[in-house]
C-alpha cells in the first residue's frame, strides 16, 4: 500500500512514496516500527501543510485521492468503490461530503450533482435515474426533496413542478 504526499502550501511538490508493506499476516517483522515512523512523518507534514494523498483498499484498488488534513479527508477529493469505480468527487470536510460534489452509482452513472452539507444532500441539486435520465432538479434538505423542484418521469416528461416537503410533492385539491 503506498501513499503519495504533496505539499500544497508552497506550490511545490514534495513527492515521497511511502511503502507500508502488506498488512495481511500481522507478523512482527518490524512493521510496527515502520508504521510508527510513517505516522510520525505524516503528523509532522500535516502540521506544516495541507496534503494530497492516495489511499488504497487491501485489494490495492484506489480508495481515495485528494486533500488531507488533521488525519481526515479535507478539501477536494475523489472517493472510490472497492472495485475501482468512482463513488464521489467533490468537497470534503472532516471525512464528510461537504460543499459541491457528484455522487455516482456503482455502474459509473451519475446519481446526484449538487450541494452537500454534513454528508447529506442539502441545497440545490439534480438527481438522476440509474440509467442516466434526470429524475429531479431543485432543493434538497437532509437527502430529501424539500422546497422548489421539478420531478421527471422515466419518459423524461415533467411530471410535477412545484413545492416539495420531506421528499413528497405538495399538492392540494380544489373542490
Amino acid at each position: 500500500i503506498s501513499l503519495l504526499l504533496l505539499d500544497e502550501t508552497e506550490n511545490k511538490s514534495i513527492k515521497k512514496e511511502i511503502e507500508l508493506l502488506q498488512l495481511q499476516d500481522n507478523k512482527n517483522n518490524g512493521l510496527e516500527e515502520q508504521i510508527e515512523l510513517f505516522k510520525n512523518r505524516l503528523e509532522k507534514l500535516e502540521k506544516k501543510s495541507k496534503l494530497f494523498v492516495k489511499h488504497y483498499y487491501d485489494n490495492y484498488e484506489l480508495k481515495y485521492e485528494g486533500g488531507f488534513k488533521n488525519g481526515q479527508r479535507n478539501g477536494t477529493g475523489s472517493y472510490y468503490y472497492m472495485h475501482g469505480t468512482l463513488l464521489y468527487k467533490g468537497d470534503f470536510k472532516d471525512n464528510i461530503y461537504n460543499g459541491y460534489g457528484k455522487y455516482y452509482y456503482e455502474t459509473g452513472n451519475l446519481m446526484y450533482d449538487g450541494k452537500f452539507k454534513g454528508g447529506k444532500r442539502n441545497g440545490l441539486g439534480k438527481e438522476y435515474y440509474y440509467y442516466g435520465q434526470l429524475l429531479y432538479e431543485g432543493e434538497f434538505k437532509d437527502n430529501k426533496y424539500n422546497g422548489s423542484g421539478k420531478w421527471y418521469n422515466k419518459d423524461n416528461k415533467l411530471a410535477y413542478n412545484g413545492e416539495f416537503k420531506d421528499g413528497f410533492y405538495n399538492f392540494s385539491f380544489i373542490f
Side-chain angles (χ1 to χ4, degrees), residues 7 9 16 19 22-23 28 41 52 56 76 90 101 119 122 131 140 151 153 173:
D7 183 342
T9 58
K16 292 190 180 191
E19 292 291 321
Q22 297 176 3
L23 300 175
N28 192 359
R41 290 168 112 184
F52 178 89
Y56 294 86
T76 302
N122 278 292
Y131 53 86
F140 287 81
W151 178 72
N153 63 23
F173 293 103

PDB file of all heavy atoms in Angstrom, residues 7 9 16 19 22-23 28 41 52 56 76 90 101 119 122 131 140 151 153 173:
ATOM      1  N   ASP A   7       2.988  18.627  -0.883  1.00  0.00           N
ATOM      2  CA  ASP A   7       2.852  19.825  -0.082  1.00  0.00           C
ATOM      3  C   ASP A   7       2.251  20.907  -0.967  1.00  0.00           C
ATOM      4  O   ASP A   7       2.874  21.370  -1.903  1.00  0.00           O
ATOM      5  CB  ASP A   7       4.223  20.237   0.432  1.00  0.00           C
ATOM      6  CG  ASP A   7       4.159  21.432   1.346  1.00  0.00           C
ATOM      7  OD1 ASP A   7       3.147  22.153   1.320  1.00  0.00           O
ATOM      8  OD2 ASP A   7       5.120  21.646   2.090  1.00  0.00           O
ATOM      9  N   THR A   9       1.109  23.976   0.156  1.00  0.00           N
ATOM     10  CA  THR A   9       1.219  25.339   0.667  1.00  0.00           C
ATOM     11  C   THR A   9       2.308  26.141  -0.026  1.00  0.00           C
ATOM     12  O   THR A   9       2.212  27.343  -0.111  1.00  0.00           O
ATOM     13  CB  THR A   9       1.478  25.347   2.183  1.00  0.00           C
ATOM     14  OG1 THR A   9       2.670  24.616   2.450  1.00  0.00           O
ATOM     15  CG2 THR A   9       0.305  24.739   2.923  1.00  0.00           C
ATOM     16  N   LYS A  16       6.947  11.911  -1.836  1.00  0.00           N
ATOM     17  CA  LYS A  16       7.507  10.863  -1.001  1.00  0.00           C
ATOM     18  C   LYS A  16       6.613   9.660  -1.116  1.00  0.00           C
ATOM     19  O   LYS A  16       5.466   9.706  -0.712  1.00  0.00           O
ATOM     20  CB  LYS A  16       7.598  11.311   0.451  1.00  0.00           C
ATOM     21  CG  LYS A  16       8.594  12.395   0.677  1.00  0.00           C
ATOM     22  CD  LYS A  16       8.825  12.636   2.118  1.00  0.00           C
ATOM     23  CE  LYS A  16       9.851  13.733   2.247  1.00  0.00           C
ATOM     24  NZ  LYS A  16      10.351  13.910   3.556  1.00  0.00           N
ATOM     25  N   GLU A  19       6.160   3.194   1.396  1.00  0.00           N
ATOM     26  CA  GLU A  19       5.650   1.831   1.280  1.00  0.00           C
ATOM     27  C   GLU A  19       5.243   1.329   2.665  1.00  0.00           C
ATOM     28  O   GLU A  19       6.009   1.366   3.601  1.00  0.00           O
ATOM     29  CB  GLU A  19       6.726   0.895   0.718  1.00  0.00           C
ATOM     30  CG  GLU A  19       7.080   1.156  -0.712  1.00  0.00           C
ATOM     31  CD  GLU A  19       5.955   0.793  -1.661  1.00  0.00           C
ATOM     32  OE1 GLU A  19       5.289  -0.234  -1.435  1.00  0.00           O
ATOM     33  OE2 GLU A  19       5.752   1.558  -2.612  1.00  0.00           O
ATOM     34  N   GLN A  22       2.562  -5.070   3.000  1.00  0.00           N
ATOM     35  CA  GLN A  22       1.261  -5.731   3.078  1.00  0.00           C
ATOM     36  C   GLN A  22       1.001  -6.131   4.524  1.00  0.00           C
ATOM     37  O   GLN A  22       1.804  -6.788   5.156  1.00  0.00           O
ATOM     38  CB  GLN A  22       1.227  -6.979   2.196  1.00  0.00           C
ATOM     39  CG  GLN A  22       1.413  -6.656   0.749  1.00  0.00           C
ATOM     40  CD  GLN A  22       1.468  -7.908  -0.104  1.00  0.00           C
ATOM     41  OE1 GLN A  22       1.321  -9.000   0.390  1.00  0.00           O
ATOM     42  NE2 GLN A  22       1.697  -7.719  -1.368  1.00  0.00           N
ATOM     43  N   LEU A  23      -0.160  -5.721   5.012  1.00  0.00           N
ATOM     44  CA  LEU A  23      -0.501  -5.967   6.413  1.00  0.00           C
ATOM     45  C   LEU A  23      -1.469  -7.150   6.517  1.00  0.00           C
ATOM     46  O   LEU A  23      -2.468  -7.083   7.204  1.00  0.00           O
ATOM     47  CB  LEU A  23      -1.133  -4.714   7.018  1.00  0.00           C
ATOM     48  CG  LEU A  23      -0.255  -3.473   7.011  1.00  0.00           C
ATOM     49  CD1 LEU A  23      -1.034  -2.276   7.521  1.00  0.00           C
ATOM     50  CD2 LEU A  23       0.970  -3.701   7.862  1.00  0.00           C
ATOM     51  N   ASN A  28       5.173  -9.817  13.198  1.00  0.00           N
ATOM     52  CA  ASN A  28       6.012  -8.753  13.737  1.00  0.00           C
ATOM     53  C   ASN A  28       7.375  -8.788  13.062  1.00  0.00           C
ATOM     54  O   ASN A  28       8.341  -9.239  13.615  1.00  0.00           O
ATOM     55  CB  ASN A  28       6.134  -8.890  15.256  1.00  0.00           C
ATOM     56  CG  ASN A  28       6.747  -7.652  15.881  1.00  0.00           C
ATOM     57  OD1 ASN A  28       7.098  -6.715  15.172  1.00  0.00           O
ATOM     58  ND2 ASN A  28       6.867  -7.652  17.178  1.00  0.00           N
ATOM     59  N   ARG A  41       6.049  10.837  10.640  1.00  0.00           N
ATOM     60  CA  ARG A  41       6.361  11.686   9.481  1.00  0.00           C
ATOM     61  C   ARG A  41       5.104  12.369   8.960  1.00  0.00           C
ATOM     62  O   ARG A  41       5.114  13.541   8.618  1.00  0.00           O
ATOM     63  CB  ARG A  41       6.984  10.859   8.366  1.00  0.00           C
ATOM     64  CG  ARG A  41       8.373  10.387   8.684  1.00  0.00           C
ATOM     65  CD  ARG A  41       8.779   9.358   7.689  1.00  0.00           C
ATOM     66  NE  ARG A  41       9.835   9.846   6.837  1.00  0.00           N
ATOM     67  CZ  ARG A  41      10.332   9.164   5.829  1.00  0.00           C
ATOM     68  NH1 ARG A  41       9.828   7.999   5.519  1.00  0.00           N
ATOM     69  NH2 ARG A  41      11.310   9.650   5.122  1.00  0.00           N
ATOM     70  N   PHE A  52      -1.971  16.253  -0.225  1.00  0.00           N
ATOM     71  CA  PHE A  52      -2.693  15.480  -1.227  1.00  0.00           C
ATOM     72  C   PHE A  52      -2.255  14.041  -1.017  1.00  0.00           C
ATOM     73  O   PHE A  52      -1.063  13.756  -0.995  1.00  0.00           O
ATOM     74  CB  PHE A  52      -2.327  15.954  -2.633  1.00  0.00           C
ATOM     75  CG  PHE A  52      -3.005  15.158  -3.703  1.00  0.00           C
ATOM     76  CD1 PHE A  52      -4.242  15.533  -4.173  1.00  0.00           C
ATOM     77  CD2 PHE A  52      -2.409  14.029  -4.229  1.00  0.00           C
ATOM     78  CE1 PHE A  52      -4.871  14.804  -5.163  1.00  0.00           C
ATOM     79  CE2 PHE A  52      -3.028  13.287  -5.203  1.00  0.00           C
ATOM     80  CZ  PHE A  52      -4.264  13.669  -5.677  1.00  0.00           C
ATOM     81  N   TYR A  56      -5.455   3.337  -0.455  1.00  0.00           N
ATOM     82  CA  TYR A  56      -5.835   2.157  -1.217  1.00  0.00           C
ATOM     83  C   TYR A  56      -6.566   1.149  -0.331  1.00  0.00           C
ATOM     84  O   TYR A  56      -6.298   1.050   0.859  1.00  0.00           O
ATOM     85  CB  TYR A  56      -4.591   1.487  -1.819  1.00  0.00           C
ATOM     86  CG  TYR A  56      -3.917   2.352  -2.852  1.00  0.00           C
ATOM     87  CD1 TYR A  56      -2.977   3.305  -2.477  1.00  0.00           C
ATOM     88  CD2 TYR A  56      -4.237   2.231  -4.190  1.00  0.00           C
ATOM     89  CE1 TYR A  56      -2.374   4.118  -3.424  1.00  0.00           C
ATOM     90  CE2 TYR A  56      -3.629   3.026  -5.144  1.00  0.00           C
ATOM     91  CZ  TYR A  56      -2.706   3.965  -4.756  1.00  0.00           C
ATOM     92  OH  TYR A  56      -2.117   4.768  -5.694  1.00  0.00           O
ATOM     93  N   THR A  76     -10.793  19.099  -1.705  1.00  0.00           N
ATOM     94  CA  THR A  76     -11.365  18.407  -2.859  1.00  0.00           C
ATOM     95  C   THR A  76     -10.732  17.026  -2.993  1.00  0.00           C
ATOM     96  O   THR A  76      -9.525  16.877  -2.822  1.00  0.00           O
ATOM     97  CB  THR A  76     -11.120  19.222  -4.141  1.00  0.00           C
ATOM     98  OG1 THR A  76     -11.708  20.510  -3.968  1.00  0.00           O
ATOM     99  CG2 THR A  76     -11.744  18.561  -5.344  1.00  0.00           C
ATOM    100  N   GLY A  90     -15.718  15.525  -5.135  1.00  0.00           N
ATOM    101  CA  GLY A  90     -16.140  16.838  -4.677  1.00  0.00           C
ATOM    102  C   GLY A  90     -15.434  17.255  -3.413  1.00  0.00           C
ATOM    103  O   GLY A  90     -14.316  16.821  -3.126  1.00  0.00           O
ATOM    104  N   GLY A 101     -20.481  18.558  -4.885  1.00  0.00           N
ATOM    105  CA  GLY A 101     -19.965  17.250  -5.249  1.00  0.00           C
ATOM    106  C   GLY A 101     -20.867  16.490  -6.198  1.00  0.00           C
ATOM    107  O   GLY A 101     -22.009  16.883  -6.450  1.00  0.00           O
ATOM    108  N   GLY A 119     -22.574  15.550   4.999  1.00  0.00           N
ATOM    109  CA  GLY A 119     -22.685  14.234   4.398  1.00  0.00           C
ATOM    110  C   GLY A 119     -24.008  13.953   3.720  1.00  0.00           C
ATOM    111  O   GLY A 119     -24.223  12.867   3.189  1.00  0.00           O
ATOM    112  N   ASN A 122     -27.968  18.672   0.556  1.00  0.00           N
ATOM    113  CA  ASN A 122     -28.584  19.879   1.113  1.00  0.00           C
ATOM    114  C   ASN A 122     -28.300  21.042   0.179  1.00  0.00           C
ATOM    115  O   ASN A 122     -27.158  21.303  -0.159  1.00  0.00           O
ATOM    116  CB  ASN A 122     -28.009  20.205   2.503  1.00  0.00           C
ATOM    117  CG  ASN A 122     -28.650  19.416   3.603  1.00  0.00           C
ATOM    118  OD1 ASN A 122     -29.816  19.599   3.909  1.00  0.00           O
ATOM    119  ND2 ASN A 122     -27.896  18.507   4.201  1.00  0.00           N
ATOM    120  N   TYR A 131     -29.989   4.882 -14.952  1.00  0.00           N
ATOM    121  CA  TYR A 131     -29.596   4.777 -16.361  1.00  0.00           C
ATOM    122  C   TYR A 131     -29.224   6.143 -16.955  1.00  0.00           C
ATOM    123  O   TYR A 131     -28.977   6.260 -18.148  1.00  0.00           O
ATOM    124  CB  TYR A 131     -30.691   4.098 -17.199  1.00  0.00           C
ATOM    125  CG  TYR A 131     -32.063   4.705 -17.062  1.00  0.00           C
ATOM    126  CD1 TYR A 131     -32.459   5.789 -17.851  1.00  0.00           C
ATOM    127  CD2 TYR A 131     -32.960   4.209 -16.124  1.00  0.00           C
ATOM    128  CE1 TYR A 131     -33.708   6.348 -17.711  1.00  0.00           C
ATOM    129  CE2 TYR A 131     -34.218   4.769 -15.984  1.00  0.00           C
ATOM    130  CZ  TYR A 131     -34.594   5.827 -16.783  1.00  0.00           C
ATOM    131  OH  TYR A 131     -35.836   6.383 -16.637  1.00  0.00           O
ATOM    132  N   PHE A 140     -32.868  20.369  -1.918  1.00  0.00           N
ATOM    133  CA  PHE A 140     -32.801  19.203  -1.045  1.00  0.00           C
ATOM    134  C   PHE A 140     -32.586  19.657   0.385  1.00  0.00           C
ATOM    135  O   PHE A 140     -31.965  20.692   0.627  1.00  0.00           O
ATOM    136  CB  PHE A 140     -31.612  18.313  -1.425  1.00  0.00           C
ATOM    137  CG  PHE A 140     -31.788  17.539  -2.686  1.00  0.00           C
ATOM    138  CD1 PHE A 140     -31.563  18.133  -3.921  1.00  0.00           C
ATOM    139  CD2 PHE A 140     -32.167  16.207  -2.648  1.00  0.00           C
ATOM    140  CE1 PHE A 140     -31.711  17.422  -5.095  1.00  0.00           C
ATOM    141  CE2 PHE A 140     -32.321  15.483  -3.815  1.00  0.00           C
ATOM    142  CZ  PHE A 140     -32.084  16.092  -5.040  1.00  0.00           C
ATOM    143  N   TRP A 151     -39.920  17.281 -10.838  1.00  0.00           N
ATOM    144  CA  TRP A 151     -39.778  15.832 -10.850  1.00  0.00           C
ATOM    145  C   TRP A 151     -40.145  15.318 -12.233  1.00  0.00           C
ATOM    146  O   TRP A 151     -41.171  15.711 -12.792  1.00  0.00           O
ATOM    147  CB  TRP A 151     -40.682  15.222  -9.775  1.00  0.00           C
ATOM    148  CG  TRP A 151     -40.642  13.740  -9.734  1.00  0.00           C
ATOM    149  CD1 TRP A 151     -39.618  12.954  -9.290  1.00  0.00           C
ATOM    150  CD2 TRP A 151     -41.672  12.849 -10.152  1.00  0.00           C
ATOM    151  NE1 TRP A 151     -39.946  11.638  -9.411  1.00  0.00           N
ATOM    152  CE2 TRP A 151     -41.215  11.540  -9.944  1.00  0.00           C
ATOM    153  CE3 TRP A 151     -42.947  13.034 -10.701  1.00  0.00           C
ATOM    154  CZ2 TRP A 151     -41.966  10.428 -10.244  1.00  0.00           C
ATOM    155  CZ3 TRP A 151     -43.702  11.916 -11.006  1.00  0.00           C
ATOM    156  CH2 TRP A 151     -43.211  10.636 -10.775  1.00  0.00           C
ATOM    157  N   ASN A 153     -40.665  11.960 -14.984  1.00  0.00           N
ATOM    158  CA  ASN A 153     -40.927  10.527 -15.036  1.00  0.00           C
ATOM    159  C   ASN A 153     -39.866   9.848 -15.902  1.00  0.00           C
ATOM    160  O   ASN A 153     -38.983  10.504 -16.458  1.00  0.00           O
ATOM    161  CB  ASN A 153     -42.350  10.232 -15.529  1.00  0.00           C
ATOM    162  CG  ASN A 153     -42.596  10.693 -16.947  1.00  0.00           C
ATOM    163  OD1 ASN A 153     -41.670  10.845 -17.739  1.00  0.00           O
ATOM    164  ND2 ASN A 153     -43.857  10.931 -17.265  1.00  0.00           N
ATOM    165  N   PHE A 173     -56.145  19.798  -3.479  1.00  0.00           N
ATOM    166  CA  PHE A 173     -57.308  19.580  -4.340  1.00  0.00           C
ATOM    167  C   PHE A 173     -58.254  20.753  -4.209  1.00  0.00           C
ATOM    168  O   PHE A 173     -58.459  21.296  -3.133  1.00  0.00           O
ATOM    169  CB  PHE A 173     -58.047  18.293  -3.926  1.00  0.00           C
ATOM    170  CG  PHE A 173     -57.240  17.054  -4.179  1.00  0.00           C
ATOM    171  CD1 PHE A 173     -56.601  16.413  -3.128  1.00  0.00           C
ATOM    172  CD2 PHE A 173     -57.122  16.542  -5.453  1.00  0.00           C
ATOM    173  CE1 PHE A 173     -55.863  15.276  -3.350  1.00  0.00           C
ATOM    174  CE2 PHE A 173     -56.395  15.385  -5.686  1.00  0.00           C
ATOM    175  CZ  PHE A 173     -55.764  14.760  -4.627  1.00  0.00           C
TER     176      PHE A 173
END
